Amino acid sequence: MYGVFDRSPWIEQWWRRQRRLASAQETVRCLRDGRYRRRNSSLMGNVRQRWFHRRFRFSRHIAHLLLIVGALFILFVDRTLPLQSFVAASSSPLPVVTASVAPVGQAIAIAPAVRRTSAPVQVEPIAPALQAPVMVTTAFQATHILAENETLAEIAARYRIPLRTLVWTNQLDRGDALRVGQPLRIARLAGVTHTVTAGETLIELAERYGVAPEAIATFAPNRLTNGQLVVGREIFIPGGQLPWTSEQEAAFAQRKAEPVGIVLNDETNVRSGPSTDHPRQAQLSAGRQVALRGRYQDWVKIEIGDISGWIRVDLLSVDARQVQSLPEVRDFPPPPPRWVWPAQGVVTSGFGPRWGGFHNGIDIANAAWTPIVAASSGWVREAGWCSGYGYCVKIRHPDGIETIYGHLITQPVVRVGQEVRAGQLIGHMGSTYDRTGGGYSTGVHLHFTILVNGRAVNPLRYLP
């Protein structure tokens, strides 16, 4: 291999010329010094050396040709049958080794072995790309604004959530009406919302809603530190369930926006008819949304859940034009009598002068425990032991009117601040009185007084 790779052809020619020159100089020195035999032996050596170089020069050309043919053969074989297939086949019996990042030097060394095949190959990554999870800060994915003629079933289908979840997370099961433009919270997954109250525990909530405690504690938007509940905070119960029937499903699916009024004040009365003389059916808190069904004078007929009744217009936040567009309704019951007799019995003493004094009411006598009722609708101002009257009830009515019921047999059945309607039971007839307050009773009876702006008037002017 020395004769093949040691020098290039031009170097070889230069080297031969130098050898010939050196040989000629040696021959001249030999003839001059009489050393012909020695020179002859040297000359024979030079002949043998030239023969050796010619033989290896021929071998060098053959070696170059063989190298070129071998390189062409390798390229042809690698193009028809990629080198990677041989590597895979030879390495298949070996155990699989976890891939790692190769050093730069090694990558440069193996780069020439990579060949482009006739068909592109989808190279699988060594390891899947890792991405940090998105932190969920709220249980709701969006807020939907209710449009006209849009049903709840359509909204649930649009966001791909159960209809019951849409109802529970927006407290629509309370019976409130839907209005155009009302925002509806859209949950990320099925479940129910719950506002924590004092004394509740995680295990209790899990049992109530039929889920595991871990489902509540580990849900990130609930922000529960060590599973501790915070009173007053709303949490989301993933997968939570409440009672739900197929009838509810069908009813809520068709619910849509309608004419609505919003209650302005707490303890707003819903009455059976359009007047304060009609009895109260329910009380609503501020913010409740009632469906408007009709109107009569200054009243509107409403519905909320299972309640149907009347509310004064000034107690609702409602568009006046919307009220005027409602149909007029007259099929309501007549109001109860404004005044009724407070008890059954015999009037034993009238209003006016008596026994040298003045009697500011009337006495109605009957047996003990005879029922006593409110003579008109109003609010209880005093109930219990009263100066002079013994057990008594005092009721305040509109227009500065007050009624007094004295000598009850025992504690009244109503309490201070309670609203009562005409004819409602407030106590029972007796004969109690307070001597230190100037009171006196001759027997079982009811003392009944009516005050107008603090002045006693004859009750017979009001009683039917």
Side-chain angles (χ1 to χ4, degrees):
M1 297 304 291
Y2 175 81
V4 178
F5 296 105
D6 58 341
R7 290 185 290 269
S8 60
W10 68 270
I11 297 178
E12 182 67 20
Q13 293 175 4
W14 175 84
W15 180 256
R16 284 200 300 270
R17 287 196 300 269
Q18 296 297 321
R19 291 297 300 267
R20 292 193 195 102
L21 179 59
S23 179
Q25 292 174 350
E26 180 65 22
T27 302
V28 171
R29 284 192 296 269
C30 288
L31 291 175
R32 185 184 58 191
D33 299 335
R35 292 182 288 116
Y36 177 77
R37 185 176 301 276
R38 184 178 174 185
R39 188 265 173 209
N40 188 34
S41 61
S42 176
L43 180 62
M44 294 302 294
N46 290 338
V47 171
R48 287 194 298 268
Q49 189 175 13
R50 284 195 298 271
W51 174 84
F52 179 82
H53 279 287
R54 284 196 300 271
R55 184 176 179 180
F56 273 87
R57 184 168 62 247
F58 178 77
S59 300
R60 182 182 60 188
H61 293 314
I62 294 176
H64 287 173
L65 180 62
L66 291 177
L67 285 176
I68 294 173
V69 173
L72 292 176
F73 178 78
I74 291 174
L75 290 175
F76 174 79
V77 172
D78 189 33
R79 192 169 187 84
T80 56
L81 187 60
L83 182 63
Q84 289 85 339
S85 61
F86 290 100
V87 175
S90 61
S91 61
S92 58
L94 299 178
V96 178
V97 180
T98 304
S100 61
V101 180
V104 176
Q106 183 180 353
I108 296 175
I110 66 175
V114 180
R115 297 289 185 268
R116 184 181 61 185
T117 59
S118 58
V121 179
Q122 185 67 32
V123 180
E124 294 183 0
I126 295 177
L130 298 180
Q131 183 177 2
V134 178
M135 292 299 296
V136 178
T137 58
T138 175
F140 302 97
Q141 57 175 303
T143 299
H144 180 82
I145 305 301
L146 184 62
E148 190 173 0
N149 296 324
E150 190 176 33
T151 64
L152 295 181
E154 294 172 349
I155 299 174
R158 174 179 175 181
Y159 292 98
R160 299 180 181 180
I161 61 173
L163 175 62
R164 65 189 69 182
T165 297
L166 180 64
V167 172
W168 293 336
T169 53
N170 291 279
Q171 287 79 49
L172 302 183
D173 50 345
R174 298 193 309 170
D176 288 39
L178 299 175
R179 59 180 174 84
V180 174
Q182 178 175 342
L184 297 176
R185 301 185 296 178
I186 308 300
R188 296 183 183 273
L189 67 165
V192 60
T193 54
H194 176 82
T195 302
V196 180
T197 59
E200 290 182 329
T201 64
L202 197 62
I203 296 178
E204 178 185 349
L205 293 181
E207 293 177 352
R208 183 188 309 175
Y209 294 105
V211 299
E214 295 77 10
I216 306 174
T218 59
F219 190 56
N222 290 335
R223 305 188 306 277
L224 300 183
T225 305
N226 299 325
Q228 296 298 319
L229 299 175
V230 180
V231 176
R233 176 183 295 177
E234 183 186 66
I235 61 176
F236 188 85
I237 315 295
Q241 295 287 332
L242 289 173
W244 186 261
T245 63
S246 57
E247 290 78 10
Q248 287 178 295
E249 182 83 17
F252 278 105
Q254 302 304 319
R255 289 277 304 275
K256 60 177 65 176
E258 53 188 333
V260 167
I262 303 176
V263 178
L264 295 176
N265 304 310
D266 290 331
E267 299 182 354
T268 296
N269 293 323
V270 180
R271 298 188 177 274
S272 61
S275 73
T276 55
D277 293 333
H278 286 82
R280 182 187 64 193
Q281 292 184 304
Q283 282 187 328
L284 301 178
S285 57
R288 299 296 298 273
Q289 296 182 172
V290 296
L292 307 180
R293 295 289 182 256
R295 64 180 176 85
Y296 181 79
Q297 296 180 354
D298 295 334
W299 294 73
V300 289
K301 188 176 183 180
I302 62 94
E303 284 185 5
I304 180 169
D306 297 332
I307 302 172
S308 177
W310 294 80
I311 298 179
R312 281 207 325 265
V313 174
D314 60 343
L315 299 178
L316 298 174
S317 174
V318 62
D319 188 358
R321 293 173 298 180
Q322 196 173 39
V323 174
Q324 292 301 320
S325 65
L326 296 174
E328 188 173 3
V329 178
R330 293 181 176 272
D331 58 343
F332 50 83
R338 186 174 180 84
W339 290 91
V340 298
W341 279 86
Q344 295 180 352
V346 178
V347 177
T348 57
S349 181
F351 178 82
R354 187 184 66 171
W355 305 338
F358 187 85
H359 191 222
N360 65 353
I362 60 174
D363 293 341
I364 304 172
N366 205 331
W369 293 97
T370 297
I372 299 174
V373 299
S376 184
S377 300
W379 293 265
V380 178
R381 185 178 71 84
E382 189 174 351
W385 189 264
C386 304
S387 176
Y389 294 108
Y391 286 114
C392 82
V393 175
K394 297 180 181 180
I395 301 177
R396 181 181 292 110
H397 308 274
D399 303 324
I401 300 175
E402 182 177 334
T403 55
I404 302 175
Y405 311 78
H407 308 309
L408 275 63
I409 193 170
T410 187
Q411 184 73 28
V413 297
V414 293
R415 64 183 184 278
V416 175
Q418 179 179 344
E419 182 180 4
V420 294
R421 63 179 183 273
Q424 180 177 337
L425 179 68
I426 61 174
H428 298 86
M429 192 178 295
S431 186
T432 59
Y433 61 93
D434 180 22
R435 186 183 300 274
T436 59
Y440 183 74
S441 175
T442 58
V444 177
H445 71 286
L446 167 66
H447 174 83
F448 179 65
T449 296
I450 296 180
L451 302 177
V452 178
N453 296 325
R455 181 179 178 183
V457 297
N458 190 349
L460 297 181
R461 292 169 49 185
Y462 290 87
L463 298 178

